[in-house]
Amino acid sequence: ADDSRTSPTADDSRTSTTDAGHPPTTGMSNEEFDEVLAKLGDLLYKLYSGNPNLCATAAKEVNPIAFQRLNVDDDVVGGHHRQKRRSTAVTMLGQFGERHAQLKDLGVPDVTACLVRDLLEVSLGDFRPDTSVASIEEVCEELQLMHEKSGIFMFASPIVEQPRLEIDTTVLYGREDEMSRLLSVHDRLRDTGESEAILIDGYSGCGKTSLVISVIPHVVKAGGYFIGQKLDQFSSSPIALVLNAFDMLPPLVLEKCNQHEVESIKRDLGCIFGDQLASLVRLLPNAALLRTSTQSSTPSQLDGKLRIDYTLQLFARIISSRQRPIVLHLDDIQHTDQYSLDLLQHILCDIKGCSSILFVGSFRSNELGDEHPVNGFMRKLDRNGTLTSNIHLGGIKLESINALVSNSLRLVPRYCKDLSREIYRRTDGNPLFAIETLRSFVGTGLIEYRLRQRRWCWDIDQIGDVKLSDNVSDLITLKIAALSDKNRQALKTLSCFGSSANHDILNTLSMELENLQLGCFDELVNSGLLNKNDAGYNFSHDKVLEAAVSLFPTEFERADCHRDIGRILLDAFDTGVLECVGIVADQCNLGLASEAHVACTNMARLNEKAAASALKKANRKSALHYSSNAMRHLPENCWQSERDLSIRVYLTHAKSAAINGVMDEAKDAIDKLLPYANAIDKMAALSLKGSILASSRQIQEALATIVGVLSDLGETIPQTFDDETLELLFAQTLQSIRENSISEVRKFKLASPNDEAVPIIRFYDMAVHLSHLLHTNMLDIFACKSVMASMKVGWTKCSCFSLAVFGSRALVRGLVDESLTIGFSALKLMERFSDADDQKTFVYGVYYGTIANFNTPFQLCCERLNHGKEIGLLHGDNLGAIWNGNYFLHKGLLAAIELSKLQKECKYQESIVEGDRDQYFGMTVAYTDLIKNTLDILTGDEPFSGPIDGDWPCPGTNVIRYEFIKKYHHSVRAFWTRNFIQCFDQTRFLEDMYKNLPNTMMIQFYGALAGYCLSENETENRLIDVAIAVMREKETNCAHNFHNKRLLLEAEKLSHEGKIEEAEAAYLSAIEASRKARFVHEEGLVCELAAAHYLRNYTEDVRHRGLLQQALECYKTWGCKPRVEHVVKMIDN
């Protein structure tokens, strides 16, 4: 049959609006037109299929009267069929409007009815309205929008009910590119597993928070954890908000992880935190959800000493992974502080790379100056290798504003263009400003819902003539001003808590405050001013919070409100209804902020409790804030009227000031309380004072304070520390140890907690810690006195370190067997105390760092030293952690740990040291720099530079040991870089006091081997005999560490003496012993020297090639570039 569409004539144009009633489709071929029609049919099918509002039944329910009146299909009336009346072509606009009204009466959604009307209006040609459709493509786009957002557009029009404007503020408009960037960072984190940080900046109301919230579904779907907190200018403790964020993780773990993952996390927590898991729970209460039934629920006596940065770092390592990364969002970080940022830096810059965290910080562009700590925070992240990026948000485009208006008014974008242009003109595309402007138009009647048209209507000319505020704050203020008195009171009350308050607090207040009703908060949620969640209510935006705060005419009225709230919460706290002591104290303090001094024992007691709670959570800034308030509220005659309370307040304030570095204030508090303190409190105060003096580089004063206390306790302290006094005391102590069978630890008499021995041993322990900085004789004497006192009055956990030190001093005197027995007894003694974890750090350092080298494989010593470092970090014992860390790095060289791994550990060590560079006069920095430079030289990152420069950073303290350590490192660097003259020179003038230490033996070992590389005279031969004798003696206790070295020395001696066959057998034995001991560096060394032996003694023998290749592989495995390059040259030659 003939198809007229394939051969159009001049009178049958495709663009005609009268032909078949089609809308214009200029420029379309027949095939394209058919494709569009097909698409239109498909969309109509999708739109109408399964939509109950479009069914006849639903139409009857919406408007049964109209349904009976209209006849749009065959209907049965009085038992007779009545044919549907077909209308003629509609040409009048009023008829189109009537058709539109009929469709709406049937329950057809307004947008659909309007679209039908607009399609029909195309036939009016030049007389059609501006809102009529322009093409079938536009029709298809609108139908597609209706299908995709049926919940917004496909609803039945109400007949008599006045609807409320509903703006979905969770929808993100115009941020597709920014959202894509944020998601790509998250996905990269899942690929690499390496933590990253991204900052989002923009002016208030630009959608920073909404952008981050928009990625939550993606994070959740991918299996990750999303946690976040909002800061505000009223936050007294940003660090508490960071802890609150991490406390959100345990419930998420239980929600997202399968049973196997949960059990694995529980095991790891128990393994890593051990007895301190209960203290972790005090820091993060929800961590109790991940505690097994067999683990203690009572915080140990070490509670409060956890180092918060390392604790959260460990926690993040256990919880997060590449498959389940953590996304941490802190909103408005312009209100954070340096302490919180340092904490985040430590967590993100986990050198070991075990945690996967994406930190997202958002802030207002105009509130972050060049000197703000956040800028330094990002620079530090960059320096530490943490990838950082930035997203800037400006205003959104007109098209996005139009989408916002369209969705809010439930009208297709075509109808909203003029209104959107007006809103965009007023707001420059700021999303919050645009939303509040739209609400303002509705609130003032400029946009109204007309029941007759059943849609939102407006007069754009009238809107254009109206003058509204040119900033969003004024609009929100006007909106709040229009609220009822009870709703404004609810906003004022909530603003006293900052950005949010929980349900328990608001419930408590509503029962006592007559003008506060809980229902008001839900009404404010409906008005868009508040948000509600499981925890409580929070302001929808910080601009709303600012407007709520401005409801108080004066600061005095605001203080009155805080005072009323504080009074109610304090009563609830005292009766046990509430446990949030910090929030209670904040309200009470703010209520009295305008008073210079208010003597109130209840306030002093409350603030002391808040300070003590903050100390337990390592919240040092809040601790000082509360303790200062407690001091302020003490009465003038406090020592007479409130002595016990005053002692607690002054001692807590001293601790708080000390942890914040305000040492003078801490010492002043201690000095004032000492005359009034009882024996127990006096000991605690003096102990704290000693620690303060030591950390302030007043080492002599600290030791003098401790000696004074010991004298007051009846202890006799020698007036001189000469060698004669020392050796006499050492001999007496050693004899007592022998008589008391020191190895039978289970028979030791333990001191009871209230025994007089406890403070005595505690102060001796402090003296031992300090005296090793001054002179070794002092160290020995205080260790002896501590051990003697323990044997006399009873052992405490503080006895363990002194006993281990005494064992190490026995080692220096050549008493190896007794040293091992005493040191091992110190380890066993710790096991008898349930709260001795804080002693493990230093006991491990002494035992595994020095004593155990002669009966324990170096590799195992490294494991235990690393564990000691972790314990120190966990307990906030920086010095102990660094001490163990340095021992680990030194032993790592002996244990043949891969140099690249040691460098990584050293970098981590540097990050610990960096946090406290002045700790003990810069000693920690000096020791760490030594090992770092040695590792850099051995890996080839730095060239060998000869003698080690640099003086001991603390004149007057223990210089000799530092010079000895420098000599050892010089020997190591020179030997492995083949600078044999300098290596041999380090064997001269070795101190007798260090002759039994492993470092001395290794200097002799390297020097003896280096001597053969220089010459073969009698001096070098005598040196190698000494080295062989030393190794033979030590291998009787620990063949693992020394047997291969002795075999190598003997092989070299035999080779240079011309005993060829014996030398070759010895080389083979040395290779096997080195391999068995897992000393890959010394296996490579034996192979290299054996190859040199064959080259020296044979001309045709090719066995040296295999040995050189084996040496090369060993050196590559170890990572020693200078030796790799040397062996490669030997192979090439």
Side-chain angles (χ1 to χ4, degrees):
D2 181 38
D3 188 351
S4 61
R5 290 180 300 172
T6 61
S7 55
T9 64
D11 295 330
D12 186 19
S13 172
R14 241 329 86 241
T15 61
S16 172
T17 60
T18 59
D19 180 40
H22 294 308
T25 55
T26 307
M28 274 187 157
S29 66
N30 289 334
E31 291 78 13
E32 290 172 334
F33 186 76
D34 289 343
E35 184 179 345
V36 171
L37 289 177
K39 183 178 180 182
L40 176 60
D42 180 65
L43 288 172
L44 286 171
Y45 173 78
K46 291 179 180 178
L47 187 64
Y48 281 86
S49 62
N51 193 318
N53 283 335
L54 304 182
C55 300
T57 303
K60 291 180 182 179
E61 293 173 355
V62 172
N63 194 345
I65 298 175
F67 187 82
Q68 290 292 333
R69 181 170 55 83
L70 294 173
N71 296 294
V72 294
D73 258 325
D74 291 347
D75 201 2
V76 178
V77 179
H80 299 283
H81 285 281
R82 186 169 58 186
Q83 298 294 323
K84 182 176 71 173
R85 295 174 296 178
R86 297 182 180 275
S87 62
T88 59
V90 180
T91 57
M92 297 299 295
L93 188 60
Q95 291 176 310
F96 294 145
E98 181 181 350
R99 182 66 59 85
H100 169 251
Q102 291 174 350
L103 287 174
K104 295 177 69 171
D105 286 340
L106 287 172
V108 174
D110 179 70
V111 291
T112 307
C114 287
L115 180 60
V116 172
R117 181 195 62 197
D118 295 342
L119 283 168
L120 294 172
E121 287 175 351
V122 171
S123 62
L124 297 176
D126 294 339
F127 298 100
R128 65 188 183 211
D130 294 337
T131 55
S132 66
V133 294
S135 66
I136 287 183
E137 291 89 336
E138 191 172 56
V139 175
C140 292
E141 289 175 1
E142 291 188 3
L143 290 173
Q144 182 70 40
L145 184 65
M146 296 176 201
H147 172 63
E148 293 175 351
K149 298 184 177 181
S150 58
I152 295 176
F153 298 110
M154 304 304 291
F155 67 100
S157 303
I159 297 174
V160 294
E161 180 184 357
Q162 180 71 35
R164 179 169 53 89
L165 177 67
E166 296 181 357
I167 301 178
D168 188 356
T169 56
T170 64
V171 177
L172 192 65
Y173 297 96
R175 301 298 187 196
E176 291 79 14
D177 292 342
E178 292 87 349
M179 185 175 178
S180 177
R181 286 185 58 194
L182 192 53
L183 290 176
S184 67
V185 173
H186 172 264
D187 293 341
R188 181 170 64 234
L189 173 66
R190 288 177 56 84
D191 289 337
T192 65
E194 297 179 359
S195 296
E196 294 193 29
I198 184 168
L199 292 186
I200 302 174
D201 73 286
Y203 289 104
S204 179
C206 67
K208 301 180 293 293
T209 305
S210 298
L211 174 62
V212 180
I213 291 175
S214 69
V215 306
I216 295 180
H218 181 83
V219 174
V220 172
K221 185 177 180 181
Y225 310 108
F226 184 92
I227 57 177
Q229 288 288 307
K230 180 177 179 62
L231 292 86
D232 58 61
Q233 64 267 44
F234 307 106
S235 300
S236 61
S237 177
I239 196 70
L241 295 178
V242 175
L243 290 174
N244 290 343
F246 276 90
D247 198 35
M248 298 167 65
L249 285 170
L252 292 176
V253 169
L254 297 179
E255 174 187 335
K256 295 178 174 298
C257 299
N258 58 45
Q259 189 62 32
H260 175 74
E261 289 177 295
V262 172
E263 292 302 319
S264 176
I265 288 173
K266 287 182 177 181
R267 284 195 303 271
D268 290 343
L269 283 172
C271 178
I272 297 299
F273 285 96
D275 293 338
Q276 286 304 297
L277 185 57
S279 294
L280 171 67
V281 172
R282 182 63 64 86
L283 198 64
L284 305 175
N286 282 328
L289 300 173
L290 301 177
R291 182 171 51 199
T292 64
S293 58
T294 60
Q295 291 166 340
S296 170
S297 60
T298 304
S300 72
Q301 295 183 27
L302 298 177
D303 187 39
K305 296 182 181 179
L306 288 178
R307 177 170 159 172
I308 185 173
D309 53 357
Y310 186 67
T311 301
L312 291 185
Q313 189 181 74
L314 286 179
F315 187 66
R317 287 181 195 171
I318 296 170
I319 299 298
S320 69
S321 64
R322 286 174 56 181
Q323 293 73 29
R324 296 194 184 278
I326 297 171
V327 177
L328 168 61
H329 176 219
L330 290 185
D331 197 6
D332 284 337
I333 59 171
Q334 70 267 18
H335 300 305
T336 192
D337 58 9
Q338 188 64 58
Y339 182 36
S340 303
L341 293 173
D342 288 344
L343 170 63
L344 291 172
Q345 177 201 338
H346 190 86
I347 297 171
L348 293 171
C349 298
D350 190 346
I351 304 298
K352 296 186 177 181
C354 299
S355 56
S356 298
I357 303 175
L358 172 58
F359 171 70
V360 183
S362 51
F363 63 93
R364 295 185 190 178
S365 302
N366 57 327
E367 295 188 10
L368 200 69
D370 294 338
E371 301 302 319
H372 195 282
V374 169
N375 294 315
F377 164 69
M378 294 299 283
R379 288 193 294 268
K380 289 177 181 178
L381 291 182
D382 281 332
R383 286 200 301 267
N384 283 279
T386 301
L387 194 60
T388 61
S389 51
N390 180 269
I391 294 178
H392 174 73
L393 299 184
I396 58 177
K397 296 180 179 179
L398 174 61
E399 293 79 3
S400 301
I401 294 290
N402 196 35
L404 164 64
V405 175
S406 168
N407 289 348
S408 301
L409 301 181
R410 297 193 172 193
L411 295 171
V412 292
R414 176 165 47 89
Y415 280 87
C416 305
K417 288 181 178 179
D418 57 348
L419 178 60
S420 298
R421 279 192 292 268
E422 180 62 24
I423 292 176
Y424 183 80
R425 181 185 68 81
R426 292 171 180 262
T427 65
D428 287 333
N430 183 285
L432 177 64
F433 198 1
I435 289 172
E436 293 305 323
T437 299
L438 182 59
R439 283 174 172 161
S440 178
F441 287 161
V442 173
T444 55
L446 293 172
I447 299 176
E448 61 180 355
Y449 189 88
R450 295 179 182 173
L451 291 175
R452 184 171 183 178
Q453 285 89 348
R454 299 176 192 170
R455 51 163 284 191
W456 294 96
C457 301
W458 61 87
D459 184 331
I460 194 62
D461 293 330
Q462 183 182 4
I463 288 177
D465 293 338
V466 171
K467 174 65 176 176
L468 291 178
S469 174
D470 57 359
N471 69 76
V472 68
S473 297
D474 290 344
L475 289 181
I476 294 175
T477 300
L478 291 172
K479 182 177 181 178
I480 291 176
L483 296 173
S484 64
D485 290 341
K486 62 179 183 179
N487 284 354
R488 285 200 300 275
Q489 182 59 41
L491 284 177
K492 291 168 67 177
T493 302
L494 185 60
S495 73
C496 289
F497 295 92
S499 61
S500 64
N502 63 45
H503 291 300
D504 291 341
I505 288 176
L506 295 177
N507 289 339
T508 301
L509 293 176
S510 67
M511 290 187 289
E512 298 293 333
L513 294 175
E514 295 181 359
N515 57 354
L516 182 64
Q517 301 176 16
L518 287 180
C520 296
F521 293 104
D522 290 327
E523 293 178 13
L524 292 168
V525 171
N526 293 332
S527 67
L529 294 172
L530 299 183
N531 296 323
K532 184 179 182 180
N533 52 46
D534 293 339
Y537 294 89
N538 62 277
F539 288 97
S540 60
H541 197 273
D542 49 7
K543 288 294 184 183
V544 181
L545 169 59
E546 292 170 6
V549 171
S550 68
L551 291 174
F552 292 102
T554 66
E555 285 298 319
F556 294 105
E557 291 193 32
R558 181 173 174 83
D560 288 341
C561 187
H562 282 298
R563 189 180 299 115
D564 293 339
I565 292 172
R567 175 182 52 79
I568 296 170
L569 296 185
L570 182 57
D571 290 342
F573 176 76
D574 289 339
T575 57
V577 176
L578 293 176
E579 296 182 357
C580 44
V581 62
I583 294 176
V584 177
D586 286 340
Q587 294 302 314
C588 293
N589 290 332
L590 289 169
L592 298 175
S594 60
E595 304 292 338
H597 176 82
V598 179
C600 178
T601 55
N602 286 338
M603 286 295 294
R605 188 175 292 107
L606 173 66
N607 277 281
E608 191 279 327
K609 290 180 179 179
S613 175
L615 283 173
K616 290 179 179 180
K617 293 187 175 183
N619 190 348
R620 61 189 186 190
K621 182 179 178 181
S622 292
L624 183 59
H625 168 74
Y626 293 129
S627 68
S628 298
N629 275 290
M631 296 278 285
R632 187 167 70 94
H633 290 300
L634 284 174
E636 292 183 2
N637 64 337
C638 62
W639 297 114
Q640 288 74 37
S641 61
E642 295 288 344
R643 176 178 169 275
D644 291 342
L645 173 61
S646 299
I647 290 173
R648 289 203 311 274
V649 169
Y650 270 79
L651 190 56
T652 302
H653 184 60
K655 294 177 182 177
S656 303
I659 199 174
N660 279 277
V662 191
M663 298 306 181
D664 290 340
E665 191 169 338
K667 287 186 288 185
D668 182 64
I670 292 172
D671 290 339
K672 287 181 178 179
L673 76 86
L674 284 175
Y676 305 97
N678 57 30
I680 296 177
D681 291 328
K682 188 174 184 179
M683 293 302 103
L686 288 171
S687 175
L688 178 60
K689 184 175 182 179
S691 299
I692 291 171
L693 289 169
S695 60
S696 302
R697 295 198 174 198
Q698 296 174 279
I699 196 74
Q700 297 281 7
E701 294 88 340
L703 195 56
T705 299
I706 293 169
V707 170
V709 175
L710 287 170
S711 298
D712 292 342
L713 292 172
E715 290 295 298
T716 303
I717 308 298
Q719 297 300 310
T720 61
F721 298 96
D722 56 89
D723 292 344
E724 183 180 352
T725 302
L726 167 61
E727 292 307 321
L728 177 61
L729 182 58
F730 188 88
Q732 293 173 347
T733 307
L734 185 60
Q735 183 60 32
S736 296
I737 284 177
R738 290 167 176 167
E739 293 173 354
N740 283 274
S741 302
I742 196 67
S743 61
E744 298 180 13
V745 179
R746 292 184 179 181
K747 297 180 180 180
F748 283 9
K749 172 192 171 184
L750 302 185
S752 63
N754 297 324
D755 199 299
E756 62 176 2
V758 174
I760 292 175
I761 305 305
R762 169 62 181 147
F763 281 98
Y764 269 128
D765 178 64
M766 294 180 66
V768 172
H769 277 85
L770 293 175
S771 59
H772 82 276
L773 299 172
L774 299 175
H775 196 279
T776 53
N777 283 12
M778 295 179 66
L779 175 65
D780 289 13
I781 286 175
F782 281 116
C784 290
K785 294 292 291 183
S786 178
V787 172
M788 292 287 282
S790 298
M791 288 189 290
K792 177 182 177 181
V793 298
W795 298 83
T796 76
K797 67 174 185 176
C798 292
S799 305
C800 301
F801 177 57
S802 296
L803 185 60
V805 169
F806 184 84
S808 70
R809 305 315 296 168
L811 177 64
V812 170
R813 290 167 171 80
L815 305 173
V816 176
D817 291 338
E818 287 185 291
S819 171
L820 292 170
T821 300
I822 295 170
F824 188 71
S825 297
L827 291 179
K828 301 302 291 184
L829 179 61
M830 282 194 303
E831 296 177 2
R832 297 192 61 184
F833 300 96
S834 61
D835 60 341
D837 272 4
D838 58 339
Q839 300 298 307
K840 286 183 178 178
T841 305
F842 279 96
V843 174
Y844 276 18
V846 173
Y847 183 74
Y848 292 108
T850 56
I851 301 173
N853 296 290
F854 302 109
N855 72 343
T856 306
F858 287 138
Q859 291 90 343
L860 181 57
C861 288
C862 286
E863 290 180 15
R864 305 313 296 166
L865 289 167
N866 195 48
H867 183 54
K869 178 183 72 175
E870 292 175 347
I871 293 174
L873 290 174
L874 193 60
H875 295 157
D877 185 355
N878 277 20
L879 180 62
I882 295 169
W883 191 22
N884 276 263
N886 283 335
Y887 268 130
F888 166 80
L889 293 170
H890 284 285
K891 292 295 177 291
L893 289 174
L894 299 175
I897 295 176
E898 291 180 25
L899 295 177
S900 59
K901 292 182 179 179
L902 287 179
Q903 278 187 311
K904 191 174 183 180
E905 291 288 346
C906 189
K907 187 176 181 182
Y908 186 69
Q909 179 86 348
E910 286 183 288
S911 69
I912 302 171
V913 172
E914 185 64 30
D916 201 355
R917 292 187 63 85
D918 289 334
Q919 177 73 279
Y920 286 86
F921 317 101
M923 275 177 39
T924 56
V925 177
Y927 282 126
T928 304
D929 285 346
L930 272 179
I931 186 63
K932 175 189 181 300
N933 293 334
T934 297
L935 291 172
D936 288 344
I937 290 170
L938 296 187
T939 56
D941 293 342
E942 296 290 340
F944 177 73
S945 56
I948 300 175
D949 297 326
D951 295 326
W952 180 231
C954 181
T957 60
N958 196 352
V959 182
I960 300 176
R961 180 171 175 79
Y962 179 68
E963 293 301 321
F964 170 68
I965 296 296
K966 281 173 61 176
K967 184 183 288 286
Y968 166 70
H969 278 278
H970 191 177
S971 174
V972 172
R973 299 175 189 180
F975 179 78
W976 291 108
T977 57
R978 297 182 56 79
N979 290 277
F980 297 122
I981 294 177
Q982 294 193 41
C983 176
F984 182 77
D985 285 343
Q986 302 312 304
T987 63
R988 306 179 191 275
F989 311 113
L990 287 175
E991 295 287 340
D992 288 341
M993 64 183 299
Y994 297 122
K995 66 182 180 181
N996 289 302
L997 296 182
N999 290 349
T1000 300
M1001 299 171 196
M1002 293 309 298
I1003 291 174
Q1004 292 171 331
F1005 174 70
Y1006 293 137
L1009 294 176
Y1012 274 129
C1013 298
L1014 297 174
S1015 64
E1016 300 182 10
N1017 60 41
E1018 186 178 354
T1019 302
E1020 280 69 42
N1021 284 335
R1022 284 203 305 268
L1023 182 57
I1024 204 163
D1025 288 337
V1026 172
I1028 291 173
V1030 170
M1031 295 301 170
R1032 180 177 285 110
E1033 176 189 354
K1034 300 311 177 188
E1035 74 174 284
T1036 57
N1037 284 318
C1038 190
H1040 180 98
N1041 290 343
F1042 302 105
H1043 180 56
N1044 73 304
K1045 298 174 180 60
R1046 193 258 300 171
L1047 291 174
L1048 175 56
L1049 290 169
E1050 290 180 343
E1052 278 290 278
K1053 180 180 179 181
L1054 291 169
S1055 175
H1056 286 83
E1057 288 177 347
K1059 299 176 182 179
I1060 307 302
E1061 293 182 0
E1062 293 176 72
E1064 291 169 4
Y1067 281 126
L1068 291 176
S1069 298
I1071 291 173
E1072 181 59 29
S1074 299
R1075 185 181 296 119
K1076 184 177 180 181
R1078 305 192 308 279
F1079 295 149
V1080 67
H1081 60 331
E1082 291 169 355
E1083 180 185 347
L1085 178 60
V1086 178
C1087 292
E1088 179 190 344
L1089 295 177
H1093 162 82
Y1094 284 107
L1095 287 171
R1096 236 183 358 256
N1097 294 285
Y1098 300 95
T1099 56
E1100 301 297 332
D1101 198 309
V1102 295
R1103 283 179 287 182
H1104 70 279
R1105 296 184 180 277
L1107 288 166
L1108 286 175
Q1109 193 61 44
Q1110 187 176 345
L1112 180 61
E1113 294 303 317
C1114 290
Y1115 288 146
K1116 284 183 177 179
T1117 301
W1118 188 38
C1120 184
K1121 186 177 179 181
R1123 286 285 175 156
V1124 168
E1125 293 175 345
H1126 171 69
V1127 173
V1128 168
K1129 289 180 180 179
M1130 291 182 69
I1131 293 174
D1132 292 342
N1133 294 333

